[in-house]
Amino acid sequence: MATYILLSRLTDEGAATIKNNPDRIKEVNHEIEEFGAHVLHQYATLGAYDFVSVVEAPDLASIARVSMELGARGSVKIQTLSAIPIDDFIANLR
């Protein structure tokens, strides 16, 4: 499985949903599982992004589906980054 970083910004609608139902965050994580990915770590952050999620998915197409499905709802804007384990990155430089 490949690792991806999802940087998420809530829209006004998304912020209202989270304020009224904080458990919605965990519900979305279960929905991500239904798309074939797995949330390894998730953090609420201050600054440019509201959440940082570390997610495993079988391939780029799978994580693209996660990003599109969640983004299409209008409650969140997601930037998805592909993450390479540092040891793999170093090995590929040699």
Side-chain angles (χ1 to χ4, degrees):
M1 292 266 254
T3 303
Y4 300 92
I5 309 298
L6 277 60
L7 304 174
S8 305
R9 263 181 288 175
L10 295 170
T11 63
D12 291 344
E13 177 185 335
T17 297
I18 296 301
K19 182 178 181 198
N20 293 328
N21 181 12
D23 292 331
R24 181 68 184 128
I25 297 166
K26 298 279 185 153
E27 292 169 10
V28 170
N29 291 350
H30 291 296
E31 293 168 11
I32 289 171
E33 299 274 343
E34 292 172 6
F35 297 136
H38 176 69
V39 177
L40 296 173
H41 305 284
Q42 189 170 46
Y43 304 93
T45 57
L46 303 175
Y49 297 95
D50 298 307
F51 298 98
V52 174
S53 303
V54 180
V55 178
E56 280 186 333
D59 51 39
L60 192 55
S62 298
I63 201 66
R65 179 176 181 215
V66 168
S67 292
M68 291 303 299
E69 292 279 353
L70 297 180
R73 298 174 181 181
S75 59
V76 68
K77 302 281 186 190
I78 300 172
Q79 181 175 355
T80 304
L81 307 172
S82 183
I84 303 167
I86 200 67
D87 290 336
D88 293 348
F89 180 78
I90 292 169
N92 284 316
L93 294 176
R94 296 186 178 161

